[in-house]
Amino acid sequence: MMTTTENIKQEAVANNNAPVIVIKDLKKGFGNRIVLNGFSIELKRGESLVILGKSGSGKSVLIKCIIGLLQADSGTIEVLGKNIDRLDHKHMDELRSHIGFLFQSNALYDSMTIRQNLQFPMRRHLGDLSREEVNRRVIETLTNVGLAQTVDMMPSELSGGMQKRVALARALILNPEIILYDEPTTGLDPITGREISKLMTDIQHKYRTSSIIISHDMNCVKRTADRIALLVNGVCYALGTYDELSTSDDENIKQFFE
Amino acid sequence: MKIATSIRSFLSETGSVARFVYRYLQELLSPRYEVRQFIRQCFIIGYNSLPLIGVTGFIMGLVLTMQLRPTLLTYGVVSKLPVMVSLAIVREIGPVISALIFAGKISSSMGAELGSMKVTEQIDAMEVSGTNPFKYLIVTRVLAATLMLPVLTIMSDAIGLYGSYLGVNIRDHTSLNLYFFEVFNTLHFGDVLPAIIKTFFFGFAIGIIGCYKGYNSSKGTEGVGRAANSAVVISSVAVFIIDLLAVQITDVLGLN
């Protein structure tokens, strides 16, 4: 009998041109406040899609719905051909092993070393790996983000930019097909922000990932976006490339590019 | 109006705690079992609390002996000092003082640690990494607290009785053998067992309240502080309430 991982991989190969994420008419509210009000979008394979919107417009809620941290009120989310609403806990965890998530606050486990932080998802998803293989992948992934020397340090000993890189390494450790970035450059100085943006594009090419990036840092957006979706009043207000949107006459769009 | 709101909020919180306990029991019994993390928590919660609880137990035994001696001397029954102190320590003071110290140390740290993990999205990161955070963080901590407090209480009782022995020897002279012969001659299973059994409930209450407060803390540093503070206060009060119920039950069973 075929395992779910093999299933997902084979389907992905078979549908190489199919979108990796399809969101249809997504609605999500908290109490009386409606955050997402019929949001629809598709993420193509290998694409880097930036979701742009004001603070509190529901960008983070959107990617938390995609990863299953929040439950949508209605609408459908298909990730790698699987409708996440219909997945039980076990299969959702299985699907999550194909998705990397970079948290806004990095979310590194502060009671663990960097090595243990990176080992954590591997031990959970790939429990049968040998200790040598686990260590090899930890060092390899840290080397890819330029921080192999920090492997036995604690997260509190690292600067904000270094923590972001380690968090990115943790998101990459399972070789995910999709990476979701929640405001990757927020709180970083412009130089470090540029370095992280460059790292994101490098990773995109090296690991051949598809990504959704939540950001309102226009430097990061310009550097990383293949397409930009504008989230206004809970819906996808505009969708296009950086050049298309930055030359738009629409006031709602222009204000982001001024 | 204000009273109605307070009552509603109290009932809502109680319902929320009940659901939390129900979820704990569900997750406790279903695999996967986080054995490694449970052992780690036993070490942190149990072993690391031993010095504090040991010192407190020792001081309680010593002080209680020195305070009781003049009164017993007045009635000419100073030889009954080991009897009185051992009953007081084993039946009541040992379990309750250990539980209160445990609540102060463990419940607050659980509230603060889980609260800050929530604020910094570490709990979400765990879920994304294919781990059930409730099982990994809550079940292991509550189970460790439930099982470690009885062990700590037994140790605290033993250290307290030794402190009492030293207290007796400050003014009088008695051998360790004679002192403990008197102690064991006095104590019955009816004294020891209910006292130990109630510490399981103390440990469970302390663990579940600390975890509940931390896991449900509101965002921001203020929320974390409030979670740690209310975890200590509520779990300390819970210890006394459980103690009160335990005394009533042992009384009905004729064990008092």
Side-chain angles (χ1 to χ4, degrees):
Chain A
M1 192 172 157
M2 209 185 297
T3 65
T4 319
T5 312
E6 285 166 352
N7 243 331
I8 290 173
K9 278 184 179 163
Q10 289 204 358
E11 278 173 30
V13 171
N15 304 314
N16 209 18
N17 294 321
V20 286
I21 296 179
V22 181
I23 299 170
K24 281 183 195 156
D25 201 24
L26 190 70
K27 291 184 181 170
K28 175 71 187 170
F30 298 95
N32 293 328
R33 200 169 75 90
I34 295 166
V35 180
L36 298 173
N37 193 16
F39 187 90
S40 301
I41 206 158
E42 287 185 356
L43 175 70
K44 296 174 193 162
R45 186 168 293 279
E47 180 188 33
S48 176
L49 175 70
V50 169
I51 310 279
L52 201 57
K54 288 182 186 167
S55 294
S57 60
K59 307 184 296 294
S60 297
V61 170
L62 174 68
I63 55 169
K64 284 186 178 172
C65 286
I66 296 172
I67 197 83
L69 286 174
L70 290 173
Q71 185 115 37
D73 297 336
S74 67
T76 57
I77 302 173
E78 274 185 25
V79 181
L80 297 169
K82 308 274 174 199
N83 185 337
I84 66 162
D85 273 349
R86 295 193 192 141
L87 296 180
D88 58 17
H89 241 289
K90 190 178 162 215
H91 290 99
M92 188 67 210
D93 280 345
E94 184 59 50
L95 183 65
R96 279 173 178 155
S97 68
H98 297 269
I99 308 171
F101 196 108
L102 181 72
F103 286 88
Q104 186 178 351
S105 59
N106 303 325
L108 294 173
Y109 309 123
D110 44 23
S111 60
M112 299 182 195
T113 63
I114 303 303
R115 185 192 300 275
Q116 289 165 334
N117 262 281
L118 268 67
Q119 283 174 346
F120 192 86
M122 267 198 288
R123 292 218 183 281
R124 298 279 143 178
H125 287 297
L126 315 166
D128 50 350
L129 282 185
S130 68
R131 186 186 288 259
E132 291 74 29
E133 176 62 11
V134 168
N135 277 328
R136 189 193 64 75
R137 281 176 74 161
V138 166
I139 298 295
E140 184 188 309
T141 315
L142 276 176
T143 307
N144 284 341
V145 298
L147 284 177
Q149 74 281 8
T150 63
V151 67
D152 289 316
M153 290 168 84
M154 298 300 284
S156 58
E157 296 175 75
L158 305 182
S159 68
M162 289 163 97
Q163 285 187 14
K164 191 66 82 182
R165 283 167 179 268
V166 171
L168 191 50
R170 190 178 64 183
L172 286 169
I173 195 85
L174 296 173
N175 289 330
E177 291 175 55
I178 301 165
I179 305 184
L180 307 175
Y181 297 91
D182 190 1
E183 306 205 8
T185 55
T186 299
L188 300 176
D189 64 85
I191 298 166
T192 313
R194 264 202 302 278
E195 284 172 9
I196 296 293
S197 304
K198 184 175 178 305
L199 187 60
M200 285 161 62
T201 49
D202 291 348
I203 281 165
Q204 179 96 3
H205 295 130
K206 188 164 187 173
Y207 287 80
R208 295 195 192 113
T209 54
S210 318
S211 41
I212 291 184
I213 302 161
I214 303 294
S215 184
H216 32 56
D217 169 5
M218 294 314 290
N219 288 325
C220 171
V221 172
K222 192 175 181 181
R223 192 180 276 270
T224 54
D226 292 326
R227 283 193 304 161
I228 300 170
L230 209 61
L231 176 57
V232 179
N233 297 329
V235 296
C236 181
Y237 184 80
L239 183 64
T241 63
Y242 185 91
D243 291 337
E244 284 166 2
L245 295 187
S246 61
T247 52
S248 168
D249 293 330
D250 189 315
E251 282 303 318
N252 277 328
I253 302 173
K254 262 167 74 177
Q255 59 182 340
F256 286 98
F257 294 87
E258 281 168 359
Chain B
M1 191 67 191
K2 203 177 171 188
I3 296 172
T5 315
S6 303
I7 291 173
R8 202 177 304 129
S9 122
F10 172 75
L11 291 176
S12 154
E13 184 89 351
T14 310
S16 186
V17 173
R19 279 197 299 277
F20 194 78
V21 171
Y22 177 70
R23 189 174 171 197
Y24 165 78
L25 295 172
Q26 266 186 328
E27 302 273 10
L28 175 70
L29 300 173
S30 64
R32 122 185 210 172
Y33 303 112
E34 301 284 356
V35 178
R36 189 190 287 241
Q37 179 66 6
F38 166 68
I39 292 168
R40 184 169 173 264
Q41 287 303 326
C42 284
F43 179 80
I44 294 169
I45 289 174
Y47 182 76
N48 288 353
S49 303
L50 184 58
L52 188 63
I53 286 182
V55 167
T56 321
F58 178 80
I59 293 172
M60 284 313 300
L62 186 68
V63 169
L64 195 65
T65 307
M66 292 172 74
Q67 295 274 27
L68 273 174
R69 191 177 176 280
T71 314
L72 295 186
L73 202 58
T74 312
Y75 294 102
V77 285
V78 77
S79 64
K80 292 292 176 192
L81 204 47
V83 175
M84 282 204 72
V85 172
S86 60
L87 278 175
I89 286 180
V90 171
R91 290 185 71 131
E92 192 58 36
I93 292 171
V96 172
I97 295 289
S98 301
L100 289 176
I101 299 289
F102 194 72
K105 187 176 188 302
I106 299 304
S107 204
S108 62
S109 80
M110 282 178 181
E113 190 184 3
L114 294 175
S116 62
M117 282 185 84
K118 192 179 181 200
V119 169
T120 54
E121 298 179 301
Q122 290 177 54
I123 293 179
D124 284 346
M126 239 168 226
E127 195 160 350
V128 170
S129 297
T131 301
N132 178 346
F134 198 93
K135 208 176 254 299
Y136 189 84
L137 297 170
I138 309 298
V139 172
T140 53
R141 279 170 170 76
V142 177
L143 189 60
T146 309
L147 299 181
M148 286 299 105
L149 184 58
V151 176
L152 287 168
T153 304
I154 291 169
M155 290 183 171
S156 165
D157 286 354
I159 295 168
L161 288 174
Y162 185 72
S164 168
Y165 159 74
L166 293 182
V168 170
N169 276 280
I170 290 174
R171 293 289 176 88
D172 303 313
H173 181 73
T174 184
S175 72
L176 192 64
N177 275 350
L178 181 60
Y179 180 85
F180 276 95
F181 178 77
E182 279 290 315
V183 168
F184 289 123
N185 233 3
T186 311
L187 294 174
H188 298 101
F189 276 114
D191 300 313
V192 179
L193 276 183
I196 298 302
I197 289 169
K198 72 182 174 187
T199 59
F200 282 98
F201 290 93
F202 289 165
F204 174 74
I206 291 165
I208 208 93
I209 291 167
C211 287
Y212 171 79
K213 285 289 170 187
Y215 203 69
N216 293 293
S217 73
S218 52
K219 290 234 166 188
T221 44
E222 196 192 339
V224 176
R226 209 172 320 134
N229 184 269
S230 54
V232 179
V233 174
I234 297 173
S235 54
S236 303
V237 174
V239 166
F240 284 112
I241 293 171
I242 293 169
D243 195 37
L244 181 69
L245 292 173
V247 167
Q248 302 299 323
I249 291 167
T250 49
D251 192 41
V252 168
L253 295 175
L255 294 169
N256 278 352

